[in-house]
Amino acid sequence: MPTLNVASEVYTADSVLIGRYFEEDRDPVSYDSIASSVLEALIATEDIRFYKHNGIDFLGLISGAVSTLKGDPRGASTITQQLAKNLYRTRYAHSQGYLSRIPGINILITKYKEWMTAYKLEQKYSKNEIITMYLNTVSFSNNAYGIKSASLRYFNKLPSALQVNESALLIGMLKGTTIYNPTRNPKNALQRRNVVLSQMQKANFISSAEVALLSQDSLKLNLNHQDNRDANDSYLRAAVERWLDKWSQDNEIDIYKAGLKIYTTIDSRMQKIAEDVVAKQMKELQRRLENTWRGQEPWRDKSGEVLPDFLENHARKLPIYKELMEKYHDEDSVFSVLDQKKKMKVFTWNGMEEVNYSTMDSLRHYIVMLNTGMMAMDPYNGEIKVWIGGINHSFYKFDHVNQSKRQAGSTFKPFAYLAALESGMTPCDKYVDQPIKIDFVNLKGEAEVWEPKNADWTFSHQNMSLRWAMARSLNSITAQVTQDVGWDKVVEVAHQCGIESKLEPVPSVGLGSNDVSVFEMVRAYSTFMNAGKKTEPILVSKIVDMEGHTIAEFKSDQKQVVDPENAWLMTYMLRGTIEEPGGTSQALWEWDLFRNNNEIGGKTGTSSDYVDGWYMGVTKDLVAGVWVGCDEQSIHFKNSQTGEGSKTALPIYAAFMEEIYKNPEFGVTFGEFPEATVEIKKEYKCPSPRIPVQQDTVRAERDSLGDIDVNMLPTLPQIRPSLPQNSSSNADSDENI
């Protein structure tokens, strides 16, 4: 069977079709999957003697010549000849030889090639195979190739379900896919359909009464089919495309033509829950951001001053700006055009809204919208279950899972504490929450002094265990730990766990001053849950060819990079953000997440000036990461009550997990963390005192690199109940309260 360019299909792990990759949107079907009315319409219109000739209809040639001489020109090519032309591109330059350059000779040579090819096709294949090949080959406009793509595109049904009128419309398009396109030229399409109906009556396929009745019918198009969209119209499909780029090159397979079935690791049900949660939460966050800056320009520099010419500078990057400059050669005239209002539709969280905007208004609308990135994965086999690259791929192409990199804030602190454990410390080792001054030489060789401040700008001067300090997300102690183990060591540990971005080895590295992706952070946190094995995330599980043979399978690469004891201790410390006094994840108690002794660990994160909000969450079955922020980093919230990670990213994670737990069939269930795979020799049972902590009354000047994740302070009422003073000293005794 000659090879066709067939679209590849993308499926979730639970076999839900989520998209296609194609240059020609074609999905071949078998003969018995095509309605008889399609075959009858084709034969009646294109080749009435199809079942009587051997590829070349000499009677048809004579008849066509006579009609042409009488002033009624019509083609005499058989269906088999047209198939030969479509399959082997006989009229394209690459199919032409030297004789075709002789005027008047080329058409004879082309026709001879088509006749010979048609004859060979007739010797090789049955009539039913030939007519099926033809219907799977021809174009029906709007990038619909083949009868299945066309029937879905125009009528949202399979070709086996097409009615006579629908079949006549599609076959009628073959005479001219543009002039008889029903979406562009409905009147022409209707007229042509009726011509095909008349031809079917002449061939005795339908009666004259049927023609009279059907001719009065409207086109009745159904253009609601969604599965024929391009691969670039969603973050997930685009991510799979990028994922397969190297594989395609290494195996010399074009996914746009090979007709593959590509199975991802995504769970469609979990993905849908995540999408719904993100939409609901982001709508509220967007409202909050707009209220924050109502009546003011939100783009500000570090000192809070409005950035001059901010919108104008962004407008200068638009293609329309270049076009207008070439036309007017004057920027004032260009901006005069860009400021002209007109009716347009813009994306909002209430749907597409029609507004009276100028180009500059539209630019402002889109540039002040918050975006997000979310990924969830099984830490043991690396299968990615959820991938949300942003709020709307049609308007924001950049994928915020693995293309975007943003300052990690406090979500990076666990790597500093892991470096401490790897250096021999224990979760019970103590540091004092006090001001610290660090002298160091920067990357330019210049001497500097760094004085990090806590998020609330105060110091308790209390002796605190590493677990408590990480749970409270204290910059003062994290900076001391980083200084003691060495910032180079923190960088090394982060890279071992799965962070691949370049990390500057500076004193603030432990506070998350470097840019990383959601993808990297989820991979790195999974190392903690998988007993210290770095688990490479996988998005595609297998690929099947057109014949149903599995040609590729993908498994996660795993490598032991962290001592299993220290990895388990890190999961214990991550639980501390919920269990320790003032833990930064205690807002999770507002959701229904803690049934059946369920354990969750996590870390909030907020970068300088509330630009980026993060939350990283781990359970016994799933590791997930969420980032929230504007693509333009000069636009952000003003304060901790609206902009910190626990107020932006954490609610998305919490609402997602709450819905996931309602569906245990997903394989994510309530329960305690896995037991350690090795003996835990280090001390870790050191309960923190649950008493109000005296705060330093002197507020220090806020440092630009400090973590501004305010979180819950020890002086605030504890959401989680305190233990009685005579309770057991075993820290595990309060974990399930």
Side-chain angles (χ1 to χ4, degrees), residues 202-213:
K202 290 179 183 178
N204 295 318
F205 289 127
I206 57 177
S207 67
S208 56
E210 288 177 293
V211 173
L213 179 64

Side-chain angles (χ1 to χ4, degrees), residues 14-33:
D14 48 333
S15 299
V16 175
L17 178 65
I18 56 175
R20 310 176 75 195
Y21 302 118
F22 54 82
E23 288 181 357
E24 299 176 352
D25 185 10
R26 178 184 286 112
D27 187 5
V29 293
S30 60
Y31 178 83
D32 56 9
S33 296

Side-chain angles (χ1 to χ4, degrees), residues 634-687:
S634 63
I635 303 172
H636 48 75
F637 290 100
K638 290 182 179 180
N639 54 53
S640 63
Q641 293 305 309
T642 55
E644 67 180 15
S646 64
K647 304 294 195 306
T648 59
L650 180 147
I652 293 176
Y653 172 80
F656 167 71
M657 291 303 299
E658 186 177 62
E659 292 300 315
I660 292 298
Y661 281 137
K662 294 177 182 177
N663 300 274
E665 65 272 16
F666 296 168
V668 180
T669 57
F670 292 116
E672 300 177 356
F673 278 17
E675 295 290 335
T677 58
V678 296
E679 181 183 358
I680 305 302
K681 298 179 180 179
K682 292 182 178 180
E683 181 185 8
Y684 67 94
K685 299 176 181 179
C686 42

Side-chain angles (χ1 to χ4, degrees), residues 496-498 523 527 532-536 557-559 561:
Q496 286 176 348
C497 288
R523 173 171 55 193
T527 302
K533 297 186 187 75
K534 183 179 73 172
T535 307
E536 199 61 37
D557 293 328
Q558 299 196 6
K559 181 181 179 182
V561 295

Side-chain angles (χ1 to χ4, degrees), residues 38 141 385 399 416 421 451 455 470 575 597 617 672:
V38 175
S141 192
K385 300 299 182 183
D399 193 310
L421 297 182
E451 298 182 67
M470 193 182 92
R575 280 161 43 199
N597 298 331
E672 300 177 356

